[in-house]
Amino acid sequence: MNTNPNRRYADITGRALLYAALGIMAIYYLLPLALMIVTSFRSMDEIRMGQLIDWPTQLNLDAWRIAWSEAQIGARSERGLQPYFINSMLITLPAVAISTLIGAVNGYVLSFWRFRGSNLFFGLLLFGCFLPFQAILLPHANVLGRMGISGSITGLIFTHVVYGLAFTTLFFRNYYVTLPGELIKAAQLDGAGFWRIFWRIILPLSTPILTVCVIWQFTQVWNDFLFGVTFSDPSSQPVTVGLNNLVNSSTGERRYNVDMAGAIIAALPTLLVYVIAGKYFVRGLTAGSVKG
Amino acid sequence: MSESKTADLTSVAMTPRRNSRMGDTLAYWMPKLVLSPTLIIVLVFFYGFILWTGYLSFTNSRMLPSYDFVGWANYVRLFNNERWFVSLRNLAVYSVLFIVICLAIGLSLAILLDQKIRAEGALRTIYLYPMALSFIVTGTVWKWMLNPQVGIEQFVRSLGWETFRFDWLVDPNFSIYTIVVAAVWQSSGFVMALFLAGLRGVDDSIIKAAQIDGASRFMIYTRIIIPSLRPVFFSAFVMLAHIAIKSFDLALALTGGGPGVSSDLPAIFMYQMSFTRNQMGLGAASAMIMLLTVVAILVPYLYSELRTKKHEH
């Protein structure tokens, strides 16, 4: 394009600098993860003698075994992160399913079956997206106790459903208002009712937003710490609480390889989801701010 | 608009087949019935609980809720509490730095990525993945890297720079900055994604016109593109401020509020007063202050969002 060699030279240097800057930033984001993975495969002897950044001389799986099933965490009789990981699964899967389903139905009503006051209701609900949970922790603990589900997995599922609804409803409502209203008018002419239209017409059209919502909720619930630490007892603590206890409570010498293996175990499910469906993850993140 | 829509929906529903009266009534109430559990949740678990927390903040509740009214006493105690002031000051320092740095990195990365980069998809994935991690995981990793004995400080020293110091984690004057470092690492990629979406939405024809007029690329960015991203700045600011005020897990995992209380934050203060120190009234008062802070940031945001929406119609 450019015949002037100086100009062309400047362009090439500019591109090189650009890629260098982007590359350096990529290293900045990747380095902690890389160090985590490498360190989890090193033995404690190597870590003691060696450096922060160093290759393992051999692939040592001790740290993983200890973090998963042998480390003494707090005063629990069961060892390792395994029971915490299972708790997180037991909490996350139902909480995601229930909050997504309710959110879908809510969004359906708020888009196609509006009634006097439904917009006000949506506005009231939206505030829940920004609610600092500190403002509801104390009463919620009290009510969980009265419902007889305090400190239980059920209580945590219930909590995540209640405080996840604002986002799930927002996702579906914002998606459904972009669908044409004629769609359900035509179905009504054919005599289809409220639920039939939802199951047969609306839900089959919802795959993209279902994916966004499920991924968002999965990440939120899995990564939650505040509810997990406040509303659980030792038998129902999620993996984030388990990891924090593992890192902070073990006595004696710090075992960084075990800490890092534990951190990867806690991060693995959400990382996997991100790698597999990153596009939808980003869409969920930006849905709340840039209108889409 | 909404009412007219409902009206023609029901009329359509009634015309084709006149079912039993009960069917019509059910059809009429069904949407409301379906929303009612969520309505109850919103009224009780959102707003009711906020009022309840507000009420607790005016009582002398300690380990258990008590309903003895003590007026503003908890708020007076709160603002005479030195630790609360430390946590407020920390929140101010942390959120300003966190927001400014995240916006700067996010915008720069987005602009760099917008230059028709070859591996854009892969780079975007790399920049954003920390957002998928739990703050506890981030805290665990950075706690280890920032530990002077085994982390970055020791590494740089072993390379030959013997006097290198990077011991913020154990220095009460600097511990709050370690939270900034880790939080920026986790969230700046997210801001990049917001800005990149905004950049892709800028009208090409304006840029082309400016190019024809001989504007340099720098001018086009500073005079046209960046000013047009104002709404993105605004929503990114609100999201980041919201993350900062709620910060609890990261600080707990990284510094635990220490050394001492040097990196304490309101969220940690609230949690400890309410659940481990048996100062429920004080904890409730601090929670109300946190809520008011969020509301103070949110109201102008929602106001402007609603106003622009009205303009669009």
Side-chain angles (χ1 to χ4, degrees), chain B residues 218-239:
Chain B
F218 180 76
M219 288 261 280
I220 293 176
Y221 269 103
T222 50
R223 299 283 173 81
I224 301 173
I225 298 181
I226 294 176
S228 76
L229 291 177
R230 201 195 311 191
V232 185
F233 271 100
F234 206 34
S235 48
F237 169 79
V238 171
M239 307 285 259

Side-chain angles (χ1 to χ4, degrees), chain B residues 122-134:
Chain B
L123 285 170
R124 242 181 17 214
T125 309
I126 291 171
Y127 296 163
L128 203 70
Y129 87 87
M131 207 60 196
L133 302 180
S134 156

Side-chain angles (χ1 to χ4, degrees), chain A residues 159-224:
Chain A
T159 307
H160 282 297
V161 168
V162 164
Y163 296 107
L165 281 181
F167 269 107
T168 59
T169 305
L170 170 75
F171 286 141
F172 283 99
R173 189 267 186 189
N174 281 1
Y175 180 75
Y176 288 153
V177 288
T178 62
L179 298 180
E182 287 77 28
L183 214 63
I184 81 156
K185 277 179 204 162
Q188 284 188 315
L189 281 175
D190 292 342
F194 181 87
W195 289 111
R196 221 178 131 85
I197 297 173
F198 178 69
W199 291 113
R200 292 293 178 79
I201 299 173
I202 300 300
L203 211 54
L205 288 171
S206 311
T207 324
I209 201 64
L210 266 174
T211 319
V212 168
C213 185
V214 164
I215 289 175
W216 168 269
Q217 275 298 90
F218 183 83
T219 318
Q220 290 300 108
V221 179
W222 185 275
N223 287 343
D224 160 73

Side-chain angles (χ1 to χ4, degrees), chain A residues 101-115:
Chain A
L101 199 67
I102 300 180
V105 179
N106 284 349
Y108 169 59
V109 172
L110 290 172
S111 316
F112 296 116
W113 301 85
R114 296 189 205 175
F115 50 85

